[in-house]
Amino acid sequence: MGFLRSVLSQRASAGGSSGLATPEKWVEDWFTGGGSASGTWVSEDTAMHYSPFFAAVNAIATDVGKLPLPLYERLEKGKRKARDHRVYQVLHDQPNELMAPMALKRTVQGHALTWGTGYAHVLRDGRGQVTEVWPIRPDRITPEVKRLGPGKMSVTYRYIDDVNGIYTRLWPDEVLPIGGLGFDGIRGYSVVQLARRSIGLGLATEQFGTQFFHNGARPGGVLKTAKKLSPEGHTRLQADWDNLHRGLDRAQRVAILEEGLEWQDIGIPPEDAQFLETRKLQVNEMCRWLRLPPHKIGDLERATFSNIEWQSLEYLQDTLLGWLTTWEQYVNLRLLTSRERPRYFAEHIVDAITRGDLKTRYEAYAIGRNWGWLSGDDIREKENENPLPEGKGTTYLVPLNMQPAPAPGEAPQPGRACPVHPGCTCNQTEHA
């Protein structure tokens, strides 16, 4: 305990506040070993070596990262992109001098899925305008909430970087936190820590499979003899057999038996036949932890392609929408000032996920065009095409037989004159 007290006191004097009563996470891991019931070491870093977990994190983080997040300005009716605003340029064009917007979002989102909360450092100029946004390793930052008085709370973020010797505190407007489900609304639960046993089982299964195929951990048969082997003979026989047949590069060699030895094939016991079933189960287990459809990480055993559009909508609503809303709300809260929020807001463009196949899209465009709420230019914009020349695509069409509905107790309006029969008020619906 003397060594631990010395280390804790050094870190506290350097700006940390860890102690025996309130140890930091690295102290807890030092005692617990970050191990699971399967005996494997599980941490936020080692969990990414498990393919189902990495695939699930990569799928969600990539899909969140690839969706544009522009800043809009509210108009009297509708909205427009606020391209001149600095936050728009940071979110949509370039968050910092090294990263593209997708790289920043994917990194922070990946941290949120593994550590529970992803953080980004917000840099501002002398006027308070956002200039850059950089991702922060979650294990170097700790939120601290303080009560200032009745009904008043404040939060600051303690940042410790032993590698570069940086120890500081960040204010809320300097941090963009993206967190999942948590116990206090400030920090999200670490999925890796909660799913430590599930991930550990998966890693142990992979390790077992590696040893099984590489070292011949379980033989396909046994050598039998009626004679009693001496200790020297037993040692020599085992060494010769391992040298000739152990390992993938020595598989399928011909065995030469002597001294009355017989080979008996025993195959793989039934309990080992569950090896593949366990691996399949763990894929669904990771999807359950991250609320992800199995087909998104390559498990197509029960997937069908006849309803792929509905699967995409389900994925958007059940998996991505919560994270997208978190991004939008915290961008509004941390990157915009209180005076800017009534005027500006951030919102994702999810057309890349919700748009269907070509036939379905064109049918939807035809409905919108015929009923008058889509113009030709509106449709072309959704298809990433330029407007028609000379304003030809700005016209909206409406059916000629449409008229306002009468109010309660009001007599219906007379129909329009029919161009087929003069004096007819059929409302142009009775003649072909």
Side-chain angles (χ1 to χ4, degrees):
M1 291 298 291
F3 168 75
L4 179 59
R5 289 181 183 273
S6 175
V7 173
L8 292 178
S9 62
Q10 292 177 10
R11 291 180 64 91
S13 62
S17 60
S18 179
L20 295 179
T22 58
E24 294 183 11
K25 182 181 179 301
W26 72 272
V27 180
E28 297 176 1
D29 287 344
W30 187 60
F31 276 108
T32 63
S36 62
S38 61
T40 56
W41 177 283
V42 179
S43 66
E44 284 76 7
D45 293 323
T46 61
M48 299 301 285
H49 293 272
Y50 183 46
S51 61
F53 184 77
F54 176 86
V57 172
N58 184 42
I60 298 176
T62 299
D63 287 340
V64 170
K66 73 182 182 183
L67 295 179
L69 180 58
L71 187 73
Y72 291 96
E73 181 183 5
R74 292 184 175 91
L75 304 177
E76 185 177 353
K77 291 184 178 180
K79 61 184 180 182
R80 73 171 184 88
K81 293 181 179 178
R83 292 184 172 88
D84 297 333
H85 200 286
R86 184 56 186 161
V87 172
Y88 178 94
Q89 299 168 6
V90 169
L91 293 176
H92 190 270
D93 299 333
Q94 186 177 9
N96 56 66
E97 60 184 9
L98 297 181
M99 298 180 181
M102 179 174 178
L104 172 71
K105 290 183 61 182
R106 181 162 54 183
T107 301
V108 176
Q109 184 62 49
H111 288 166
L113 292 167
T114 52
W115 296 85
T117 305
Y119 297 96
H121 185 202
V122 181
L123 302 180
R124 301 175 183 269
D125 58 18
R127 299 179 299 171
Q129 297 292 323
V130 177
T131 57
E132 294 179 287
V133 178
W134 292 84
I136 305 176
R137 277 188 60 95
D139 57 340
R140 296 177 180 174
I141 187 169
T142 304
E144 296 181 344
V145 180
K146 294 184 179 180
R147 183 179 297 275
L148 302 179
K152 293 183 178 182
M153 307 286 289
S154 69
V155 59
T156 58
Y157 297 86
R158 178 165 51 90
Y159 181 79
I160 298 177
D161 183 358
D162 290 329
V163 177
N164 300 308
I166 302 175
Y167 310 95
T168 186
R169 288 186 181 272
L170 302 175
W171 297 100
D173 61 348
E174 297 179 288
V175 178
L176 176 64
I178 304 297
L181 175 67
F183 62 93
D184 59 359
I186 304 297
R187 292 165 292 183
Y189 290 118
S190 170
V191 177
V192 172
Q193 298 303 317
L194 295 178
R196 177 175 289 180
R197 292 187 177 183
S198 298
I199 298 175
L201 176 60
L203 291 173
T205 304
E206 289 187 347
Q207 183 178 0
F208 170 82
T210 301
Q211 296 297 325
F212 180 88
F213 290 107
H214 181 70
N215 295 323
R218 181 176 293 277
V222 295
L223 296 174
K224 297 194 309 180
T225 180
K227 301 179 180 180
K228 183 178 181 180
L229 298 177
S230 64
E232 295 81 6
H234 185 277
T235 302
R236 183 181 64 84
L237 177 62
Q238 183 175 4
D240 291 344
W241 189 267
D242 286 344
N243 290 334
L244 289 174
H245 303 288
R246 186 174 185 177
L248 292 178
D249 56 341
R250 297 183 177 90
Q252 307 302 322
R253 285 189 175 186
V254 177
I256 300 177
L257 306 179
E258 56 181 336
E259 298 295 335
L261 291 173
E262 295 181 4
W263 171 264
Q264 180 177 347
D265 191 1
I266 61 175
I268 299 179
E271 59 270 18
D272 285 345
Q274 299 297 320
F275 172 74
L276 295 179
E277 294 296 330
T278 301
R279 298 207 66 184
K280 290 181 180 180
L281 176 64
Q282 288 306 106
V283 173
N284 285 274
E285 188 78 357
M286 293 301 99
C287 292
R288 195 158 31 239
W289 278 106
L290 295 175
R291 203 180 182 187
L292 183 71
H295 72 271
K296 294 295 295 184
I297 58 173
D299 184 2
L300 304 179
E301 185 174 0
R302 299 182 180 179
T304 62
F305 295 96
S306 59
N307 58 346
I308 191 65
E309 184 176 356
W310 290 106
Q311 290 179 358
S312 298
L313 291 175
E314 180 184 12
Y315 171 59
L316 172 64
Q317 295 173 359
D318 296 343
T319 305
L320 295 184
L321 193 57
W323 289 112
L324 299 181
T325 303
T326 301
W327 273 93
E328 294 166 1
Q329 292 181 351
Y330 271 98
V331 165
N332 296 336
L333 183 63
R334 294 297 174 86
L335 301 189
L336 299 176
T337 65
S338 58
R339 298 181 60 181
E340 291 177 322
R341 290 174 203 144
R343 181 180 177 183
Y344 299 99
F345 67 97
E347 187 177 53
H348 283 92
I349 299 177
V350 297
D351 291 348
I353 295 179
T354 58
R355 61 189 299 164
D357 59 88
L358 185 65
K359 181 176 181 294
T360 303
R361 295 202 312 271
Y362 280 17
E363 289 176 349
Y365 293 153
I367 295 174
R369 179 78 165 136
N370 293 336
W371 285 95
W373 54 274
L374 280 179
S375 67
D377 286 350
D378 294 336
I379 298 174
R380 295 179 65 85
E381 182 180 3
K382 291 180 178 295
E383 289 296 312
N384 199 27
E385 296 183 6
N386 294 330
L388 293 174
E390 301 177 359
K392 295 180 180 179
T394 59
T395 304
Y396 291 86
L397 306 177
V398 292
L400 293 177
N401 61 340
M402 301 293 292
Q403 62 180 0
E410 183 180 64
Q413 297 182 5
R416 300 177 183 176
C418 177
V420 180
H421 299 93
C424 177
T425 58
C426 63
N427 205 23
Q428 306 175 22
T429 61
E430 298 179 5
H431 303 293

